[in-house]
């Protein structure tokens, strides 16, 4: 469904990604794993277009997206949830959701605030609260909900478990499972292997901007060597 | 008592127009991060258009207010054209280019206005139905002022509804915080930028249009209002509409009451209020901390120690300049003197801008204060040239001490706007203090001492002082002081951590730059034999910026090349009636196409070729 191949990306002169490729099938959850600074976020940004890939291609159901401005990539059906969350702190929960609003699509379920409040009951109780006055976990839910308002076909979740309390991490895992059940395709970046094992079907490991490993989550769980080489610090 | 009430209401009425213009500027800045210098031009166009439209219609309440509205909308459309043609290309350029490019628009609009409406001031019509006065305890208040007093809060309320009750408003507020994220959520930023620019320009146009019964419509409206608007925005806080309203009321009242005490004192009052606000709240009354997400990439490269080739080139240049008088005529010498003096002026600006990252929009203040310092010494106490040339940099350095103290508390666009406001205040003092400065008539008879009165002698005097000045500035750039300054420019937090007091460094550099600019100004006064207020006007400040920009911010030779290019250009186009139009277009073109300047672009081209070989 989502296929990236041969992506090279730079920040100024610094060459960060070297021919990164990955592919996520329809309804699948792919975990992009790697240590700090490995290039996970940069890969996500290259897909959504916030970083313009110097080379390579990003295809959504065959349609080429690389090089388009972010808003067109988003409209094509890719939802991006940034690592830093980037909630609009001055805006209320409802207003944050309305920024994400995009027309409904035939191919995906249509999200409304009410449906999202079922998924995230905490948010329902703070519709008029400003984004800046929410806890980290609540903000993380809000960013996901905000992106879902665009009715994406694929959602990019950049380290959704980062900096959250264990209870909230578990809640987040259940949320991702529910989204998967609804048929959403998910690309998830993680350092937390535990979280990734709970939700992902397959894993791709990136190190220093190069893809080192691809396989099912179960295979990775069995492959102690790969985990030691690319994941544990 | 009723006198004070009426005075207070008058203040409120004049706040209305100021608020409209300032909040337009603030809204545009919030989303695009561009300080639109041309905002004063939109204001001026609003006034001209409203007066013209209303004159074609039968007199009546509807045709009056209809004309005001149509004028505002037309200005909004002009704003869209400016956004699409100019700004869209420079959203990612460094601040300097954005400011200078919008100043290019100012020049273009000035000449187009001149071409369409002619040079004479115009008087607008009175508003039908509001042409008499209300009696308040024996004091008269124009009915029209009452309308304006209502208009201000009404617009404030409408804007609040627009921003809080429509999806467009929500998107704009979101984009004000993080426009990149808004794009990643599927919103086309371009549409938002363009529509925001339309709204901001409309508000400026409206601000000008409602002024037509209150003040003469003239070609000076644009720059007059922009300085005041910058003060309002700095006091109120960039991006805050309510802040703009409060600040406009404060300024309006200060003007209304200050004028009773002493017309000149209003400026000092403005200055004091601004100073107090900025010391207590560096981001203005309701300003928010600057957001770093999605900030512009820093495009400043390292400045390298001059290699042997550069040194040789500078030596050759000096030798050529030293030999020129042997074969050049008077005309060329005069031109070269001007180039050299402006080069020193530009080099002093480059010193704080290239090294300190401080974009000063009021550098002419120091040039002018130097020129006036020297001229006043000559005119009022018969000082010889030598003494006057010591006084010039001293006076300018002192001004740098005062202005700099405030300016270093701010950064980025706030710094630029505050420096412009200071320069404009200095200009107004000189312009209005007729008894001492001669006002618009200037000061005449500023001739060099006997030994330097000959063209040759004066040429060599200038050459030696300018070469010495430029050398000293270069020395300082490569001293520990210069390195510390650049460290602060590139990463304020880090330099703070290693114990550099950035503010003190910046403050000192402003004083130094001010002194050198003042020295150039002092010599300039002697080279012309006179000095006029435009020595410290906004266009002169922009001259300095354009020179640095023509030459390129990252190169030391830049200011010299820039000065030669600018003087050459001005000399070439001054024959034309509409030279401002040409200059403005050239400036815009440079900002849009060559963001590295002449020297910088050449260097890049060379580097590129070397790489390819
Ligand atoms: N804006 C930037 N400018 C320059 N370099 C950057 C920028 N953002 C990231 N980098 C560098 O790019 C490399 C990859 O960063 P990236 O954020 O993609 O890693 P990551 O895998 O997401 O790490 P983390 O787990 O810490 O989020 C790192 O070396 C980082 O220092
Ligand atoms: Mg990351």
């Amino acid at each position: 469904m989502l296929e990236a191949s041969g992506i090279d990306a730079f920040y100024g002169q610094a060459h960060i990604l070297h021919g990164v490729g990955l592919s996520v099938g329809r309804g699948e959850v792919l975990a992009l794993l790697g240590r700090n600074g490995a290039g996970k976020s940069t890969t996500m940004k290259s897909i959504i277009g916030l970083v313009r890939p110097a080379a390579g291609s990003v295809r959504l159901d065959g349609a080429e997206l690389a090089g388009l401005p972010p808003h067109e990539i988003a409209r094509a059906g890719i939802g991006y949830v940034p690592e830093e969350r980037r909630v609009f702190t001055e805006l209320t929960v409802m207003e944050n959701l309305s920024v994400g609003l995009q027309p409904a699509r035939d191919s995906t379920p249509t999200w409304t605030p009410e449906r999202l409040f079922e998924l995230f009951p905490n948010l329902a109780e703070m519709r008029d609260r400003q984004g800046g006055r929410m806890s980290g976990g609540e903000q993380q839910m809000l960013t996901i909900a905000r992106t879902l308002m665009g009715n994406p076909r694929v959602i990019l979740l950049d380290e959704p478990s980062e900096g959250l309390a264990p209870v909230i991490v578990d809640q987040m895992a259940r949320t991702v499972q529910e989204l998967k059940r609804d048929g959403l395709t998910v690309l998830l970046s993680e350092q937390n292997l535990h979280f990734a094992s709970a939700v992902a079907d397959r894993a791709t490991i990136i190190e220093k901007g190069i893809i080192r490993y691809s396989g099912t989550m179960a295979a990775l769980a069995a492959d102690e060597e790969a985990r030691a080489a690319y994941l544990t610090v | 008592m009723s006198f004070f009430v009426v005075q207070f209401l008058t203040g409120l009425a004049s706040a209305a127009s100021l608020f409209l213009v300032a909040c337009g500027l603030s809204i545009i800045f919030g989303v695009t991060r561009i300080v639109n210098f041309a905002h004063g031009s939109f204001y001026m166009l609003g006034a001209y258009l409203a007066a013209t439209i209303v004159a074609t219609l039968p007199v009546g309440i509807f045709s009056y207010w209809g004309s005001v509205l149509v004028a505002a909308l037309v200005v909004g459309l002009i704003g869209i054209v400016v956004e699409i043609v100019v700004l869209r290309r420079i959203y990612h350029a460094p601040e300097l280019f954005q400011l200078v490019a919008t100043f290019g628009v100012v020049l273009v609009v000035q000449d187009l206005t001149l071409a369409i409406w002619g040079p004479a001031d115009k008087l607008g019509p009175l508003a039908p139905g509001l042409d008499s006065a209300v009696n308040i305890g024996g004091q008269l208040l124009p009915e029209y002022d009452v309308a304006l007093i209502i208009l201000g809060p009404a617009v404030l309320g409408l804007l609040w509804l627009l921003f809080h009750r429509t999806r467009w408003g929500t998107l704009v507020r979101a984009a004000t915080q993080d426009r990149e994220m808004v794009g990643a959520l599927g919103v086309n930023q371009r549409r938002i930028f363009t529509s925001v620019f339309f709204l901001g320009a409309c508000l400026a146009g409206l601000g000008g249009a409602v002024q037509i019964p209150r003040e003469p419509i003239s070609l000076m409206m644009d720059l007059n209002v922009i300085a005041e608007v910058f003060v309002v925005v700095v006091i109120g806080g960039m991006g805050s509409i309510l802040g703009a309203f409060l600040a406009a009321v404060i300024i309006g009242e200060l003007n209304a009451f200050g004028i009773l005490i002493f017309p000149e004192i209003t400026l000092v009052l403005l200055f004091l209020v601004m100073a107090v606000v900025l010391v207590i709240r560096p981001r203005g009354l309701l300003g928010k901390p600057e957001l770093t997400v999605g900030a512009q990439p820093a495009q400043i490269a390292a400045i390298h120690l001059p290699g042997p080739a550069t040194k040789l080139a500078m030596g050759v240049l000096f030798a050529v300049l030293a030999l020129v008088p042997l074969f050049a005529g008077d005309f060329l010498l005069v031109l070269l003197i001007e180039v050299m003096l402006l080069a020193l002026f530009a080099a002093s600006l480059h010193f704080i801008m290239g090294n300190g990252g401080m974009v000063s929009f009021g550098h002419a203040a120091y040039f002018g204060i130097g020129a006036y310092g020297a001229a006043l010494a000559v005119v009022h106490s018969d000082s010889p040239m030598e003494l006057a040339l010591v006084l010039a940099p001293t006076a300018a350095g002192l001004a740098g001490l005062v202005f700099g103290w405030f300016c270093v508390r701010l950064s980025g666009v706030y710094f630029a706007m505050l420096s412009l406001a200071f320069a404009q205040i200095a200009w107004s003092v000189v312009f209005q203090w007729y008894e001492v400065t001669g006002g618009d008539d200037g000061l005449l008879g500023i001739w060099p001492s006997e030994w330097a009165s000959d063209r040759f002698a004066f040429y060599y005097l200038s050459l030696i002082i300018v070469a010495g000045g430029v050398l000293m500035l270069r020395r300082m750039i490569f001293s520990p002081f210069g390195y510390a300054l650049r460290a602060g420019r590139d990463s304020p937090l880090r330099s703070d951590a290693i114990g550099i007091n950035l503010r003190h460094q910046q403050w000192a550099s402003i004083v130094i730059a001010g002194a050198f600019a003042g020295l150039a100004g002092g010599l300039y006064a002697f080279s012309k034999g006179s000095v006029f207020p435009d020595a410290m006007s906004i266009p002169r400040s922009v001259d300095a910026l354009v020179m640095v920009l023509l030459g390129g911010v990252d190169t030391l030779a830049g200011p010299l090349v820039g000065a030669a290019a600018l003087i050459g250009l001005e000399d070439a186009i001054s024959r034309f009636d509409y030279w401002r139009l040409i200059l403005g277009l050239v400036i815009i073109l440079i900002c849009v196409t060559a963001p590295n300047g002449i020297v910088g672009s050449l260097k890049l081209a060379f580097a590129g070729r070397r790489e390819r070989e």
Side-chain angles (χ1 to χ4, degrees):
Chain A
M1 171 143 203
L2 174 67
E3 211 153 334
S5 60
I7 294 183
D8 275 15
F10 292 79
Y11 288 117
Q13 300 285 321
H15 194 165
I16 305 292
L17 297 186
H18 306 265
V20 165
L22 51 81
S23 95
V24 201
R26 189 179 306 274
E28 190 179 48
V29 177
L30 175 71
L32 178 62
L33 304 173
R35 298 193 176 109
N36 264 330
K40 303 182 294 295
S41 299
T42 309
T43 304
M44 300 243 172
K45 286 181 188 167
S46 304
I47 294 174
I48 190 67
L50 291 179
V51 168
R52 207 190 160 101
S57 106
V58 175
R59 286 170 187 279
L60 184 64
D61 279 340
E64 182 60 66
L65 300 180
L68 295 180
H71 74 269
E72 287 183 25
I73 297 181
R75 286 182 187 180
I78 298 188
Y80 169 64
V81 179
E83 183 174 7
E84 315 82 18
R85 298 182 188 135
R86 297 169 82 162
V87 159
F88 301 115
T89 50
E90 308 266 303
L91 272 52
T92 64
V93 168
M94 286 304 280
E95 286 172 337
N96 265 282
L97 293 183
S98 89
V99 175
L101 178 69
Q102 291 291 330
R105 247 178 258 284
D106 295 338
S107 49
T108 54
T110 304
W111 291 94
T112 59
E114 292 318 314
R115 261 195 79 196
L116 287 165
F117 290 144
E118 279 168 31
L119 190 63
F120 302 108
N122 302 26
L123 294 183
E125 286 148 34
M126 45 180 85
R127 293 170 197 233
D128 294 320
R129 182 161 318 168
Q130 281 190 333
R133 296 170 187 271
M134 298 167 73
S135 72
E138 289 158 359
Q139 286 193 345
Q140 183 64 58
M141 293 174 195
L142 178 57
T143 41
I144 297 179
R146 183 180 67 181
T147 299
L148 288 174
M149 284 293 287
N151 307 312
R153 305 162 67 190
V154 181
I155 186 165
L156 315 179
L157 290 176
D158 199 352
E159 297 206 39
S161 73
E162 192 186 355
L164 299 183
V167 204
I168 314 283
V169 173
D170 289 344
Q171 203 177 329
M172 200 57 75
R174 280 197 297 280
T175 306
V176 176
Q177 283 156 355
E178 264 179 68
L179 291 176
K180 178 177 154 66
R181 216 172 301 134
D182 277 350
L184 198 65
T185 306
V186 181
L187 171 62
L188 167 95
S189 95
E190 261 310 328
Q191 291 199 50
N192 181 339
L193 190 59
H194 171 70
F195 181 86
S197 332
V199 298
D201 305 308
R202 287 191 308 118
T204 289
I205 300 183
I206 186 171
E207 188 200 43
K208 294 194 182 125
I210 300 171
I211 299 293
R212 296 292 189 182
Y213 180 94
S214 268
T216 63
M217 214 60 220
L220 180 63
D223 190 343
E224 204 150 317
E225 212 171 299
R227 289 207 315 269
Y230 307 124
L231 296 180
T232 39
V233 183
Chain B
M1 186 58 216
S2 60
F3 172 74
F4 288 104
V5 172
V6 167
Q7 207 61 25
F8 177 78
L9 293 175
T10 308
L12 277 188
S14 32
S17 167
L18 207 49
F19 160 64
L20 292 175
V21 186
C23 80
L25 186 85
S26 217
I27 293 170
I28 289 177
F29 174 81
V31 177
T32 64
R33 302 284 137 166
I34 286 187
V35 175
N36 177 29
F37 226 114
H39 219 63
S41 309
F42 293 155
Y43 166 82
M44 178 171 79
L45 285 175
Y48 273 101
L49 282 168
T52 305
I53 298 170
V54 82
T56 62
L57 298 174
V59 177
I61 295 179
F62 282 114
S63 56
Y64 177 84
W65 291 103
S67 308
V68 165
L69 270 185
V70 170
L73 291 174
V74 172
V75 173
L77 293 179
I78 296 172
I80 289 185
V81 173
V82 170
E83 200 269 345
I84 290 176
V85 175
V86 182
L87 296 181
R88 209 169 254 192
R89 291 156 216 280
I90 52 172
Y91 281 132
H92 294 289
E95 275 157 12
L96 165 68
F97 290 84
Q98 304 174 334
L99 284 160
V100 171
T102 57
F103 190 79
V105 176
V106 171
L107 292 174
V108 171
V109 171
Q110 254 176 11
D111 263 2
L112 291 181
T113 312
L114 175 67
I116 297 172
W117 284 286
D121 289 7
K122 296 200 176 329
L123 285 177
L126 288 177
L130 296 170
D131 43 12
S132 55
V134 197
N135 189 328
I136 301 178
Q139 297 287 328
L140 293 181
L141 179 73
E143 281 176 350
Y144 192 71
D145 280 12
V146 178
L148 288 188
I149 292 172
I150 299 168
L151 181 71
V155 170
L156 181 65
L158 284 177
L159 286 175
W160 191 89
L161 287 177
L162 180 64
F163 282 111
H164 290 86
R165 289 289 176 267
T166 66
R167 172 140 195 274
W168 181 84
T170 307
L171 292 180
V172 169
R173 282 188 299 138
T176 301
Q177 185 186 347
D178 187 347
R179 60 192 192 193
E180 196 184 72
M181 192 61 223
V182 172
L185 287 168
V187 179
N188 188 348
Q189 294 181 58
R190 279 204 165 175
R191 288 231 187 106
I192 296 210
F193 281 30
T194 310
S195 54
V196 159
F197 214 82
F198 172 77
L199 176 67
C202 273
L203 287 167
L206 184 63
V210 297
Q211 281 296 81
I212 55 173
R214 302 184 91 227
E215 63 170 311
I217 304 158
S218 79
L219 290 166
M220 306 257 283
M221 287 175 87
D222 53 353
L223 292 186
N224 280 346
V225 83
I226 200 74
E228 217 167 342
V229 163
F230 280 4
V231 173
V232 167
V233 172
V234 167
I235 291 183
M238 212 56 188
S240 165
I241 298 175
L242 189 60
F245 184 76
L246 290 179
V249 169
I250 292 174
I251 302 294
E253 294 304 339
L254 279 178
N255 278 332
F257 286 98
I259 214 148
L260 300 175
I261 311 168
F262 223 178
E264 285 88 351
I265 214 98
T266 45
L267 289 166
V268 182
L269 271 179
L270 275 190
F271 177 92
L272 283 178
V273 170
M274 191 163 69
V276 170
V277 170
L278 288 179
V279 169
I280 302 173
R281 296 187 63 95
R283 306 236 170 263
L285 291 174
L286 299 178
K288 311 219 169 59
E290 226 163 291
L291 299 153
T292 44
V293 185
Q296 298 157 1
Q299 285 206 357
I300 307 170
I303 292 181
H304 298 292
L305 259 176
T310 316
K311 281 189 177 153
L312 185 71
M314 298 297 272
V316 170
L317 178 66
F318 182 78
V320 170
L321 283 174
L323 293 175
V324 162
L326 299 182
F327 52 83
D330 244 15
F331 174 77
L332 186 61
L333 281 194
V334 171
L335 204 64
L336 279 179
I337 290 175
E338 185 158 357
V339 169
M340 290 193 296
L341 296 181
L342 288 186
L344 179 58
F345 175 41
S348 72
L349 175 64
H350 178 264
F351 182 70
I352 54 171
M353 218 165 83
N355 283 290
M358 294 173 277
V359 179
S360 167
F361 250 77
H363 207 57
Y366 308 113
F367 186 82
I369 287 172
Y372 270 92
L376 288 171
V378 172
V379 171
H380 290 287
S381 57
D382 264 335
S383 305
M385 179 185 79
E386 294 77 10
L387 177 61
L389 284 183
V390 174
L391 286 176
T394 313
L398 283 175
L401 207 60
V402 177
F403 299 169
W405 189 83
F406 294 104
C407 290
V408 297
R409 267 141 233 281
L410 310 180
S411 58
V413 291
Y414 282 86
F415 181 97
M417 292 198 294
L418 187 62
S419 58
L420 178 129
F422 276 125
Q424 195 61 4
I425 287 169
W427 176 85
S428 311
V429 169
V430 166
F431 194 77
Q432 292 177 5
W433 202 6
Y434 191 83
E435 304 81 54
V436 176
T437 62
D440 206 13
D441 298 335
L443 294 169
L444 307 177
I446 322 296
W447 299 116
S449 299
E450 193 60 45
W451 61 269
S453 58
D454 167 80
R455 273 278 166 253
F456 278 96
F458 196 82
Y459 177 86
Y460 283 112
L461 174 70
S462 307
L463 178 61
I464 288 168
I465 290 186
V466 169
V470 170
L471 267 182
M472 276 163 78
L473 285 171
R474 293 179 65 112
R475 269 276 157 88
M476 275 185 276
I477 287 174
F478 295 110
S479 71
F481 173 71
Y483 284 113
L485 208 54
R486 285 197 291 287
R489 173 198 74 188
D490 295 337
S491 133
L493 289 179
R494 186 155 7 118
S495 70
D496 212 38
I498 55 175
I500 297 175
N501 188 330
L502 184 58
R503 262 190 203 168
H504 285 177
Q505 303 274 347
Q506 291 182 329
W507 192 17
S509 72
I510 291 177
V511 174
I512 293 169
F516 279 102
L519 182 61
L523 269 170
Y524 192 79
F526 283 106
S527 80
K528 299 276 174 190
S530 58
V531 50
F532 299 96
D534 37 311
M536 52 177 93
S537 63
I538 294 177
R540 171 101 325 182
S541 289
V542 174
D543 276 351
L545 287 163
V546 171
M547 287 187 279
V548 172
L549 202 137
L550 276 173
V553 187
D554 301 333
T555 68
L556 294 170
L560 308 178
V561 178
L566 181 71
I567 307 269
L569 177 67
E570 287 188 337
D571 191 59
I573 62 178
S574 59
R575 303 177 273 120
F576 300 102
D577 283 343
Y578 295 109
W579 61 272
R580 279 193 202 86
L581 180 74
I582 303 173
L583 184 62
L585 291 176
V586 170
I587 290 177
I588 293 172
L589 207 67
I590 292 170
C591 288
V592 172
T593 57
N596 295 301
I598 299 175
V599 177
S601 298
L602 285 179
K603 269 191 175 176
L604 276 186
F606 268 117
R609 190 180 314 159
R610 233 177 279 159
E611 238 165 57
R612 260 177 270 132
E613 271 164 14

